[in-house]
């Protein structure tokens, strides 16, 4: 049984800056990386493989740079990658991503479990997993915080808003994970060096007969105005604490 | 008449959405319908602003499972001539919205934080780039699925009583079996409504030390909230105290952030605070960009001093 893991390439959000005059995010020249929760999905895939065997195949749809970004997933333990590459994915919708992933996954023999993050690092829509499950006509188990796979049965605990739910389902199935499921490993230098040599298949959407849909129009994407005073007291001494308290009193926020 | 169809697995959220749908329906010339599937109180939907309430006795709807509910709602949507489907953006609601949208060939926006009609089109806002930005978006497909953040919309009492329509649904049993369910039984803390929030982060090294934050909150008449790792990884506080992209959003007069680095996924939940104070030992922490006042220092020294100073 092979294990599929879907990982999305996004800009490193910690490095996104906001242009002060326009409130627009500055995305040029920001390094690309794989989403945090996607790394949890990958870590889980590797752990399952180490127990039950098979291969971990990382699948991703995105821009040209993906051939480089995906090395991070291969270094973390994926055995192979299947990439669907097109500039058209920019501004496309979650349905387009799901369609591309589905067609790529169909080329894998004997897959048992398809892992994803509960939400991508940037848009966090949580749509791709359920859409993928619908396209492939598979059961879906989302928001999983603990997972076991044994003899073709998946047993999972789901972390929902008001309860934990333990469920069972046979393979194949689509499973999305939450960040607390595990601690993703940091790859060693040898693994990073080996990553470049692992097998990669690269497709264009047209090779797979996918139409890239655009069902969402983004009218604007701006940082909300944050007009903060940014007054810093550098010492943390009694004097600084007293200055802070006076400032808060002056604003009527606290009473002595 | 084409309609806005509302569903949530939680009646209270469905009723909020019906209040919103009634308003949008008037502006867009659409009717309002509700799918009270799996509800223990379908009668409670009668005077909430819908003209029609769809109900079903189908056995498969007894437990909520996304693929079964997506199929059920797609059948109800056809019968109701739905042009817009509004779903409560809980975790269950989100997984349902994606699957339903795919089934119906619809565009979908999840976690919509606002919803209004402009030039005849529905315009939504939602957080993007991890919460660093707010995207304003419209869906261009004929049928639209929108998962709406809980809390948007007020339940209404309408004089008009909805027609109850019992539907025959063709549903297959789910492949997913629910073995057990344990309620989180979280206390009824109202983080979203609190006037003062003392937010704690990984700058705290032991659970016992959170007492310092509780004392400060008590002096200020506020509540203690936290960053995600404190609840999901450390399990020091329940998850309903988490502020941020995957947690709650507060709009207090005063938010005090203790030992919090200030990554966007957290700050998105606190950005509507009137005044933000931060204590952090790192002079380069991101949180300073969000702070009105800050003290650079060890929270273990600063917090007791601050509490003492406030006690006077
Ligand atoms: C500002 C902005 C707003 C957007 N808003 C919307 C919107 O409201 N609706 C919409 O349909 N699209 C939207 N998009 C497009 C959307 O970001 C992409 O289509 C994306 O590929 C799907 O990401 P997601 O955030 O929906 O993923 P999610 O569903 O949140 O991702 C869940 C998991 O699916 C996997 N995954 C997701 N995408 C990929 C991928 N490309 N390759 C491999 N694995 C993947 C990962 O494991 C991830 O953790 C928006 C884009 C931008 C720039
Ligand atoms: C899709 C997604 C969704 C997420 N959703 C959320 C969310 O809803 N809410 C959320 O909070 N996070 C969320 N996160 C996680 C988020 O990215 C951060 O990892 C998290 O907010 C960091 O928490 P923190 O600030 O407590 O910890 P850290 O980033 O570790 O920061 C600890 C801070 O404490 C300071 N410190 C340490 N010791 C002391 C001391 N003695 N005195 C003073 N200061 C000290 C340090 O300088 C540091 O700045 C999400 C992440 C992803 C990918």
């Amino acid at each position: 049984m092979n294990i599929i893991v879907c990982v999305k390439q996004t800009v490193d959000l910690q490095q996104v800056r906001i242009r002060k005059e326009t409130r627009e995010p500055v995305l040029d020249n920001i390094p690309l990386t794989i989403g945090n929760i996607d790394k949890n999905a990958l870590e889980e895939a590797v752990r399952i493989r180490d127990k039950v065997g098979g291969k971990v195949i990382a699948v991703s749809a995105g821009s040209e740079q993906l051939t480089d970004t995906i090395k991070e997933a291969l270094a973390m333990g994926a055995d192979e990658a299947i990439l669907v590459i097109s500039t058209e994915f920019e501004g496309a919708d979650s349905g387009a991503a799901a369609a591309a992933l589905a067609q790529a996954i169909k080329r894998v023999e004997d897959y048992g479990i398809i892992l994803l993050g509960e939400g991508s690092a940037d848009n966090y829509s949580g749509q791709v997993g359920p859409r993928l499950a619908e396209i492939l006509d598979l059961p879906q188990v989302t928001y999983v915080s603990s997972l076991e796979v044994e003899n073709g049965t998946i047993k999972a605990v789901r972390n929902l808003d008001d309860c934990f739910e333990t469920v069972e389902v046979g393979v194949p199935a689509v499973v999305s994970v939450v960040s607390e499921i595990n601690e993703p490993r940091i790859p060693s230098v040898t693994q990073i060096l080996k990553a470049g040599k692992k097998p990669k298949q690269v497709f264009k959407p047209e090779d797979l007969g996918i139409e890239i849909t655009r069902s969402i129009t983004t009218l604007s994407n701006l940082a909300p105005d944050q007009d903060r005073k940014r007054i810093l007291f550098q010492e943390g001494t009694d004097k600084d604490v007293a200055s802070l308290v006076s400032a808060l009193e002056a604003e009527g926020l606290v009473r002595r | 008449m084409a309609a806005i169809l509302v569903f949530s697995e939680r009646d209270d959220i469905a009723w909020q959405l019906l209040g919103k749908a009634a308003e949008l329906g008037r502006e867009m010339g659409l009717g309002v319908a509700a799918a009270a599937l799996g509800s223990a109180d379908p009668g409670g939907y009668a005077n909430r602003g819908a003209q029609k309430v769809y109900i079903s006795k189908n056995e498969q709807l007894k437990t909520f499972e996304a693929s079964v509910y997506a199929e059920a709602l797609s059948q109800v949507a056809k019968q109701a001539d739905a042009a817009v489907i509004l779903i409560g953006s809980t975790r269950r609601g989100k997984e349902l919205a994606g699957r339903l949208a795919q089934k119906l060939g619809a565009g979908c926006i999840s976690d919509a934080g606002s919803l209004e009609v402009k030039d005849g089109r529905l315009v939504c806002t939602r957080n993007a780039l991890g919460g660093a930005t707010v995207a304003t978006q419209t869906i261009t497909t004929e049928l639209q699925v929108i998962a709406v953040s809980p809390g948007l919309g007020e339940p209404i009492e309408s004089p008009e009583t909805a027609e109850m329509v019992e539907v025959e649904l063709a549903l297959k049993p789910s492949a997913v079996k629910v073995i057990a369910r344990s309620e989180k039984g979280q206390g009824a803390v109202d983080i979203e409504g609190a006037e003062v929030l003392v937010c704690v982060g990984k700058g705290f090294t032991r659970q016992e030390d959170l007492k310092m934050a509780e004392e400060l909150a008590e002096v200020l008449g506020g509540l203690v909230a936290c960053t995600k790792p404190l609840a999901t990884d450390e399990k020091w506080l329940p998850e309903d105290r988490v502020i941020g992209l995957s947690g709650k959003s507060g709009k207090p007069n005063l938010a005090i952030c203790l030992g919090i680095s200030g990554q966007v996924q957290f700050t998105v939940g606190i950005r509507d605070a009137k005044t933000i104070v931060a204590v952090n030992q790192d002079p380069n922490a991101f949180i300073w960009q969000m702070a009105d006042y800050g003290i650079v220092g060890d929270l273990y020294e600063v917090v007791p001093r601050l509490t003492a100073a406030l006690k006077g």
Side-chain angles (χ1 to χ4, degrees):
Chain A
M1 181 187 90
N2 294 311
I3 301 151
I4 309 272
V5 55
C6 301
V7 293
K8 181 182 176 187
Q9 158 183 274
T10 63
V11 291
D12 182 352
L13 290 172
Q14 292 217 32
Q15 303 197 36
V16 173
R17 291 287 165 272
I18 302 299
R19 193 165 281 134
K20 215 170 176 229
E21 309 76 54
T22 58
R23 313 298 306 158
E24 282 169 309
V26 184
L27 300 177
D28 310 328
N29 303 320
I30 294 189
L32 294 163
T33 179
I34 287 170
N36 279 339
I37 306 183
D38 308 20
K39 287 183 187 162
N40 294 109
L42 175 57
E43 175 66 32
E44 202 60 24
V46 171
R47 290 185 192 188
I48 295 170
R49 177 202 61 199
D50 292 349
K51 251 196 189 154
V52 306
K55 277 191 230 160
V56 171
I57 301 162
V59 181
S60 187
S63 66
E64 289 282 303
Q65 293 100 310
L66 198 50
T67 47
D68 201 42
T69 314
I70 199 69
K71 286 185 193 149
E72 205 178 343
L74 293 166
M76 283 177 67
D79 300 295
E80 294 175 17
I82 308 180
L83 309 178
V84 187
I85 290 185
S86 169
T87 47
E88 298 275 299
F89 284 116
E90 184 130 348
D93 59 29
S94 307
L101 297 172
Q103 294 312 319
I105 291 168
K106 280 187 185 165
R107 307 206 156 212
V108 178
E109 273 174 34
D110 187 29
Y111 59 82
I113 180 164
I114 302 172
L115 285 156
L116 303 93
E118 56 146 316
S120 65
D122 51 357
N123 283 307
Y124 196 64
S125 84
Q127 287 181 35
V128 172
R131 281 183 179 271
L132 183 60
E134 176 65 23
I135 299 171
L136 296 172
D137 194 18
L138 292 178
Q140 71 189 52
V141 182
T142 52
Y143 301 101
V144 168
S145 59
S146 115
L147 184 62
E148 271 167 60
V149 185
E150 224 172 321
N151 304 324
T153 301
I154 296 170
K155 194 170 177 193
V157 178
R158 308 177 61 204
N159 185 350
L160 298 170
D161 298 85
D162 48 8
C163 70
F164 290 97
E165 192 176 81
T166 308
V167 301
E168 251 178 41
V169 66
V171 295
V174 172
V175 174
S176 82
V177 306
V178 290
S179 64
E180 60 266 30
I181 191 167
N182 57 38
E183 186 67 48
R185 69 194 63 193
I186 314 273
S188 68
V189 178
T190 11
Q191 284 164 323
I192 294 170
L193 292 173
K194 277 192 204 149
K197 299 193 193 74
K198 289 186 175 174
K200 266 193 290 244
Q201 290 181 67
V202 179
F203 296 102
K204 292 198 202 75
E206 50 272 31
D207 302 334
L208 301 172
I210 306 153
E211 205 196 323
I212 296 186
T213 48
R214 290 170 189 281
S215 60
I216 309 285
T217 304
T218 300
L219 305 172
S220 70
N221 185 25
L222 302 174
D225 221 354
Q226 281 291 335
D227 198 12
R228 298 287 168 191
K229 296 195 181 73
R230 296 168 73 167
I231 299 170
L232 279 197
F233 302 102
Q234 297 289 347
E235 306 287 336
T237 53
D238 280 329
K239 194 166 141 266
D240 273 0
V241 169
S243 310
L244 171 64
V245 173
S246 324
L248 295 179
E249 276 173 347
E251 293 203 28
L253 291 164
V254 299
R255 269 172 293 126
R256 240 199 270 221
Chain B
M1 178 159 81
I4 302 177
L5 177 66
V6 165
F7 172 81
S8 173
E9 78 286 357
R10 276 180 48 188
D11 291 335
D12 57 336
I13 297 176
W15 298 343
Q16 289 171 3
L17 286 177
L18 280 173
K20 188 74 194 173
E23 179 191 314
L24 298 172
R26 272 194 301 277
E27 286 180 70
M28 299 174 78
L30 294 172
V32 175
L37 304 179
S39 169
D41 182 20
Y45 283 67
N47 295 85
R48 302 276 175 191
Q51 288 95 49
K52 284 186 180 164
V53 175
Y54 293 88
I55 50 175
S56 165
K57 294 203 178 83
N58 196 300
E59 277 292 302
Q60 307 304 334
L61 297 172
K62 280 218 165 118
T63 43
F64 182 98
E65 199 281 309
S67 68
V68 174
Y69 266 70
E71 182 54 40
L73 271 178
S74 76
Q75 293 175 26
V76 173
K78 292 202 176 98
Q79 198 157 333
D81 190 16
V84 177
I85 303 177
L86 301 182
I87 293 176
S89 207
T90 59
R91 287 189 164 185
R92 288 197 198 277
K94 276 210 272 187
E95 61 156 346
L96 169 66
R99 190 145 194 163
L100 176 65
Q102 187 63 38
K103 209 178 260 296
L104 295 170
C108 176
I109 289 175
S110 33
D111 290 321
S114 76
L115 204 54
E116 54 183 275
V117 183
K118 268 196 200 132
D119 304 325
R121 288 212 66 86
L122 264 178
V123 178
C124 304
T125 59
R126 58 184 293 275
N127 290 317
L129 290 174
T133 56
V134 174
T136 305
Q137 302 180 310
T138 58
I139 301 177
T140 54
T141 46
E142 209 166 312
L143 176 60
Q144 314 183 30
V145 176
I146 305 173
V148 182
S149 294
L152 187 76
E154 293 277 338
I156 54 170
E157 281 288 334
S158 81
E160 186 190 8
T161 302
E163 176 193 351
M164 292 283 163
V165 184
E166 187 166 342
V167 282
E168 285 298 326
L169 301 172
L171 301 173
K172 283 188 294 200
S174 168
V176 181
K177 281 192 203 65
V178 178
I179 309 290
R181 188 172 292 150
S182 68
E183 298 300 322
K184 288 186 181 167
Q186 292 161 335
V189 291
D190 183 13
I191 297 291
E192 281 164 331
E195 291 283 323
V196 176
L197 285 176
V198 175
C199 306
V200 294
K202 290 194 73 177
F204 284 83
T205 48
R206 296 180 315 167
Q207 183 170 13
E208 304 89 272
D209 302 339
L210 296 182
K211 268 208 195 77
M212 287 192 301
E214 278 155 22
E215 279 168 27
L216 178 58
E218 201 183 303
V219 176
L220 293 166
L223 290 174
V224 174
C226 64
T227 59
K228 189 174 168 204
L230 249 59
T232 57
D233 301 343
E234 306 291 352
K235 307 208 163 27
W236 290 349
L237 285 166
E239 284 171 28
D240 60 357
R241 303 269 179 146
V242 175
I243 295 272
L245 186 64
S246 48
K248 301 210 156 132
S249 295
K251 39 180 179 327
N253 276 327
L254 175 62
I256 303 190
C257 301
L258 306 173
I260 293 176
S261 59
Q263 291 177 48
V264 284
Q265 295 94 347
F266 167 78
T267 55
V268 62
I270 202 81
R271 69 179 172 216
D272 292 333
K274 189 165 159 278
T275 299
I276 297 178
V277 174
V279 179
N280 196 307
Q281 64 187 12
D282 175 3
N284 299 314
F286 291 119
I287 195 76
W288 304 130
Q289 296 170 26
M290 284 292 291
D292 292 291
Y293 301 100
I295 295 186
V296 185
D298 183 349
L299 71 89
Y300 282 85
E301 289 170 20
V302 175
V303 176
R305 282 184 186 155
L306 184 57
T307 308
L310 287 165
K311 273 187 184 157

